[in-house]
């Protein structure tokens, strides 16, 4: 790996903010029970996985 993992830390809050913004969109919540891009996870399941990641990372 050419860059330190620490160098990527500043990108995580930006990505988490974008994920939370997308999760809140009505187009996403309307598809909550449909399959997501990840196997075995619904859109809602993926949202529940991604949503709290920002809090966990900040701790």
């Amino acid at each position: 790996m050419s860059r330190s993992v620490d160098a990527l830390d500043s990108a995580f809050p930006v990505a988490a903010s974008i994920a939370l913004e997308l999760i809140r969109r009505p187009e996403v919540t309307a598809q909550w029970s449909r399959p997501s891009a990840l196997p075995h996870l619904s859109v809602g399941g993926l949202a529940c996985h991604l949503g709290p990641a920002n809090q966990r990372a900040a701790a």
Side-chain angles (χ1 to χ4, degrees):
M1 187 183 270
S2 62
R3 295 192 301 179
S4 168
V5 172
D6 293 337
L8 302 175
D9 286 349
S10 63
F12 186 83
V14 174
S17 176
I18 292 168
L20 288 174
E21 187 177 316
L22 290 171
I23 290 167
R24 292 182 181 122
R25 293 184 62 100
E27 301 90 356
V28 175
T29 58
Q31 302 298 317
W32 220 241
S33 62
R34 299 197 40 110
S36 75
L38 295 180
H40 311 294
L41 279 179
S42 66
V43 171
L46 181 55
C48 288
H49 173 73
L50 291 174
N54 196 26
Q55 266 68 20
R56 286 192 305 266

